[in-house]
């Protein structure tokens, strides 16, 4: 049984930082591309960042480029998202997901097979 669990969300002031973590069990972590999505109330889910199975290829949405950094530790089966210079518009539920393929310039929800329950990030102004 595959389990994907996010942690690290919380309340932070604008300009602050948070580090999200995601652990995945029940799958061969190193065989999957991993990504972070987010969804704010009343908005569509947005692909934030993705990393290939062999760390070296990454994708970032334009809205987070230069502020967020994705990384993974395959030995620990853990995915990270370091979020700096947070803005109120970053407020959303953040989801971790695993995909069997990596696309260079886009993140498609349909590619991601396994999903976590999400962790809430709230940025106050």
């Amino acid at each position: 049984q595959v389990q994907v669990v996010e942690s690290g969300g919380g309340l932070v002031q604008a300009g602050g930082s948070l580090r999200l973590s995601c652990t995945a069990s029940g799958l061969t972590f190193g065989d999957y591309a991993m990504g972070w999505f987010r969804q704010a109330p009343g908005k569509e889910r947005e692909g934030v960042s993705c990393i290939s199975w062999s760390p070296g290829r990454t994708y970032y949405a334009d809205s987070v480029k230069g502020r967020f950094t994705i990384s993974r530790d395959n030995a620990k089966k853990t995915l990270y998202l370091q979020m700096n210079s947070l803005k109120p518009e970053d407020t959303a539920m953040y989801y971790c997901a695993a995909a069997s393929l990596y696309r260079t310039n886009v993140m498609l929800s349909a590619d991601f097979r396994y999903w976590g329950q999400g962790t809430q990030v709230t940025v106050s102004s």
Side-chain angles (χ1 to χ4, degrees):
Q1 181 179 357
V2 176
Q3 284 193 316
V4 178
V5 180
E6 305 94 337
S7 61
L11 173 64
V12 64
Q13 288 189 331
S17 298
L18 281 175
R19 188 194 197 199
L20 304 184
S21 298
C22 167
T23 58
S25 59
L27 54 76
T28 304
F29 186 78
D31 287 348
Y32 287 83
M34 298 296 296
W36 290 97
F37 289 80
R38 67 185 181 186
Q39 188 167 20
K43 294 188 176 182
E44 293 188 355
R45 185 164 53 191
E46 172 190 21
V48 175
S49 184
C50 186
I51 187 168
S52 62
W53 40 82
S54 176
R57 293 185 294 168
T58 57
Y59 162 87
Y60 295 95
D62 288 342
S63 57
V64 305
K65 279 181 182 176
R67 301 187 298 121
F68 290 11
T69 302
I70 192 170
S71 62
R72 65 189 294 165
D73 185 330
N74 287 345
K76 294 182 178 180
K77 298 185 178 182
T78 302
L79 176 74
Y80 304 99
L81 186 68
Q82 178 66 44
M83 305 186 296
N84 298 329
S85 302
L86 282 161
K87 304 175 181 180
E89 50 264 43
D90 293 319
T91 295
M93 185 71 79
Y94 283 70
Y95 298 92
C96 172
S100 58
L101 77 158
Y102 174 85
R103 298 181 190 270
T104 302
N105 296 316
V106 67
M107 288 178 68
L108 300 178
S109 297
D111 290 340
F112 290 79
R113 179 176 181 182
Y114 302 111
W115 292 79
Q117 294 299 307
T119 186
Q120 177 68 38
V121 171
T122 303
V123 184
S124 63
S125 57

